[in-house]
Amino acid sequence: MAIQSITAGPRQSNFEILRMIAMFLVLLVHANFLSIGAPSSQDICDNFIPSETRLLFQTVSLYGVNVFILISGWFSIKASIKGLSYLLFQVYYFGIIILGALTVMGLEQITIGRLYQIVLLHKSGWFVISYVILYLLAPVLNKFSEYASKKEFTAVLLSYFAMLVVYGYIDWSQEIGRGYSALSMVGIYLLGRYARKYIKFSHGFLLFVGCTLVNTLITTLVIIFDLPLIVNSYDNPFVILGALGLILYFSNIHITTSKPINYIARSTFAVYLLHIYPEVLDWFCEICKQLFTESTGPMCLIKMGVFLLFVYAISIILDGPRRLIWKYGLKTLEKN
């Protein structure tokens, strides 16, 4: 999920901050509708402000995944065996330590079947498999973006996104899966490449705000009038444009390179891997639901925010040993 070590170019702290924010948005999207469920039309009528606040948070949090892929496209994935090994090692590391912890707690057993599921990425959510496919396709996509004319690139993007919007937003296609697929990632990745090459736009924040407000309004109307429209989709055009707005905004921010920021950003994928493991995700959702039912108003937001930051921090800490193992293990292999 936007692993900087497998993308070309030096780390830029402005994008690393955006990467950190995007991962928090991934946590938020799982803490909101996935854990608590969407507000009903009755909820909106009876508790308008709390319900609209949740809809606003849901709209913004949907940008997280697309932002990660846009960043990968912006810098371009530098595909290599080493880079792919780095990605898979992190996935397997978290899968094994979580399985080990659950076994110690008596909630799981280390079996061939469980290890098989980890190796085949069945415990890592939809994103990892789709990103690996994108990673393998990246050299071809990079060649296209490098040699295609602006006219050709524009034509491909427009036709590709027309398909994604129709079958991932307006209608539903199993192949596209509302943006939960490698097919959607390819389009978002190419948009990131296109944006860096051709889009010169200094009002990215306004694009972000505008798309957020419009999509929140649409979501409200869909719920109230029970309209047949899929709003919680990564192929939602307002979600795509809102994420693009964040990319363009942060690309115009100039920040001195910060080692602490870059250090944390390198481990943001750990946040996803820790809480997406099925049994851990069940706990995560249950705690979020409990916090929501126990508190209201600002106190609910504070408790939820503290919990999400706690999950974030624990994930970064747990990733520390993995980074050391990779660093010194790689040195040992290179010596031999």
Side-chain angles (χ1 to χ4, degrees), residues 2 16 76 92 144 149 218 246 251 277 292-293 307 332:
E16 297 303 278
S76 79
Y92 295 150
F144 167 77
S149 66
I218 292 174
L246 283 175
S251 70
Y277 195 94
F292 179 76
T293 55
F307 172 65
T332 302

Side-chain angles (χ1 to χ4, degrees), residues 166-184:
V166 170
Y167 293 107
Y169 176 60
I170 298 174
D171 197 2
W172 184 83
S173 165
Q174 184 176 356
E175 290 75 18
I176 296 176
R178 301 181 185 177
Y180 296 82
S181 67
L183 273 176
S184 291

Side-chain angles (χ1 to χ4, degrees), residues 98-99 101-111 114 117 123 277 279:
I98 293 172
L99 177 60
L102 292 174
T103 301
V104 171
M105 297 167 65
L107 301 174
E108 273 275 20
Q109 289 185 344
I110 298 178
T111 64
R114 288 288 184 268
Q117 290 178 323
K123 293 285 190 177
Y277 195 94
E279 286 74 13

Side-chain angles (χ1 to χ4, degrees), residues 32-52:
N32 195 358
F33 280 21
L34 181 63
S35 299
I36 306 166
S40 64
S41 57
Q42 192 64 46
D43 292 330
I44 295 175
C45 294
D46 294 343
N47 300 285
F48 181 77
I49 293 180
S51 297
E52 285 301 304

Side-chain angles (χ1 to χ4, degrees), residues 8 141 226 245 279 290:
L141 300 176
D226 194 23
E279 286 74 13
Q290 184 177 347

Side-chain angles (χ1 to χ4, degrees), residues 45-147:
C45 294
D46 294 343
N47 300 285
F48 181 77
I49 293 180
S51 297
E52 285 301 304
T53 300
R54 288 189 58 212
L55 294 180
L56 180 65
F57 283 163
Q58 182 69 9
T59 294
V60 174
S61 63
L62 283 171
Y63 298 151
V65 168
N66 284 347
V67 165
F68 275 114
I69 305 305
L70 284 169
I71 292 176
S72 292
W74 185 275
F75 289 102
S76 79
I77 293 174
K78 188 177 180 181
S80 66
I81 295 176
K82 178 181 176 182
L84 183 59
S85 300
Y86 182 93
L87 168 61
L88 294 177
F89 177 69
Q90 190 175 22
V91 175
Y92 295 150
Y93 169 84
F94 273 92
I96 290 171
I97 66 168
I98 293 172
L99 177 60
L102 292 174
T103 301
V104 171
M105 297 167 65
L107 301 174
E108 273 275 20
Q109 289 185 344
I110 298 178
T111 64
I112 297 299
R114 288 288 184 268
L115 294 174
Y116 176 82
Q117 290 178 323
I118 291 173
V119 170
L120 290 189
L121 310 177
H122 292 168
K123 293 285 190 177
S124 307
W126 69 273
F127 184 93
V128 174
I129 296 175
S130 296
Y131 194 84
V132 168
I133 294 172
L134 175 66
Y135 185 93
L136 296 174
L137 291 175
V140 177
L141 300 176
N142 293 342
K143 286 291 184 182
F144 167 77
S145 62
E146 180 180 355
Y147 292 107

